Amino acid sequence: MKNQFVCPKCSSYLNIGEDVILAAEAEDGRKGLIMLHADLGNYSVKHNTDFEIPEGMRFEFHCPVCHMGLACDVNPNLSKIHMTDPENQTYEVLFSKIAGEKSTYCLVGETVNMYGQDSGNYVDFINLSAVK
Ligand SMILES: [Zn+2]
């Protein structure tokens, strides 16, 4: 069994196969579904060709089931979903809302694993959150 991704609010599964499906709203008001890769650190994104994802644009992510905003109180540029591994350990996965910014953090207790070449961008915020 692979890692499962779930909504922090309604606990619905958000992944199907290798894809994590989220509802996205661009800062220019356009809305659509996107699929992020379930492997942390893999930044391939699937989206409708008419729902463009311009580099540098900020997106707000919502649970496609309950529509709760997947906000993270650590930093307004980060989203948060939950991940459960095959041993049933639950992690908080934080990732950037900015298209093209490769910053992902996987937190459990005070342990943080970081992914992506831009993961240094929010490390100060993540460390603050980990010691809370
Ligand atoms: Zn939900």
Side-chain angles (χ1 to χ4, degrees):
M1 198 178 99
K2 295 211 140 203
N3 295 333
Q4 302 281 13
F5 291 83
V6 297
C7 170
K9 172 83 171 179
C10 71
S11 298
S12 296
Y13 291 115
L14 301 177
N15 60 304
I16 298 176
E18 297 290 294
D19 297 308
V20 180
I21 301 167
L22 301 175
E25 180 174 0
E27 59 190 359
D28 61 10
R30 294 174 301 117
K31 296 177 184 176
L33 293 173
I34 68 162
M35 303 204 291
L36 305 178
H37 202 284
D39 287 342
L40 302 183
N42 182 330
Y43 291 94
S44 63
V45 180
K46 294 181 195 167
H47 54 93
N48 187 293
T49 48
D50 286 344
F51 183 60
E52 292 173 9
I53 313 255
E55 288 274 307
M57 184 172 280
R58 188 165 128 176
F59 287 78
E60 294 295 333
F61 296 109
H62 299 266
C63 171
V65 181
C66 74
H67 299 141
M68 209 232 359
L70 300 172
C72 167
D73 52 12
V74 174
N75 187 287
N77 284 351
L78 295 176
S79 254
K80 178 174 80 174
I81 57 176
H82 287 174
M83 182 182 85
T84 306
D85 73 9
E87 281 79 47
N88 232 9
Q89 176 74 57
T90 299
Y91 303 81
E92 287 191 333
V93 175
L94 311 185
F95 56 97
S96 175
K97 299 175 178 178
I98 315 288
E101 186 177 58
K102 297 178 170 62
S103 305
T104 306
Y105 310 89
C106 183
L107 287 73
V108 58
E110 295 182 9
T111 305
V112 184
N113 287 312
M114 299 191 283
Y115 304 84
Q117 64 191 32
D118 304 316
S119 60
N121 293 7
Y122 302 103
V123 69
D124 291 344
F125 298 100
I126 300 300
N127 285 337
L128 283 174
S129 128
V131 296
K132 249 194 272 181

